[in-house]
Amino acid sequence: MIVTIDDVRAAGLCVHGTRAWFARHGLDFRAFLRDGITAEVLLATGDAMALRVVEHASHRPSQREQS
């Protein structure tokens, strides 16, 4: 599953904080904005924020329709 910045916003997190989070984890924020990122990469960080965003993304309508 691809997670996007829309998922981050929908989970109640801010873009500025997300940019800093990506930097702390050595992830490319610009590529994320452009292409999204796989849930697996986010979950591999072991971070609670990543889990929150992935959980939220898994419940968006387009994900349920694909299941």
Side-chain angles (χ1 to χ4, degrees):
M1 168 178 54
I2 300 296
V3 176
T4 68
I5 193 65
D6 292 335
D7 296 313
V8 170
R9 289 182 182 127
L13 301 170
C14 72
V15 174
H16 179 73
T18 301
R19 181 187 312 267
W21 185 91
F22 266 71
R24 279 195 308 275
H25 290 278
L27 299 171
D28 186 339
F29 185 72
R30 288 183 187 259
F32 168 64
L33 291 176
R34 184 182 60 244
D35 305 320
I37 192 167
T38 66
E40 291 79 17
V41 169
L42 289 179
L43 293 174
T45 68
D47 189 273
M49 184 198 102
L51 179 61
R52 178 177 168 182
V53 172
V54 170
E55 178 67 22
H56 191 277
S58 72
H59 290 95
R60 56 177 183 214
S62 62
Q63 291 303 316
R64 286 195 303 262
E65 291 167 8
Q66 292 174 4
S67 298

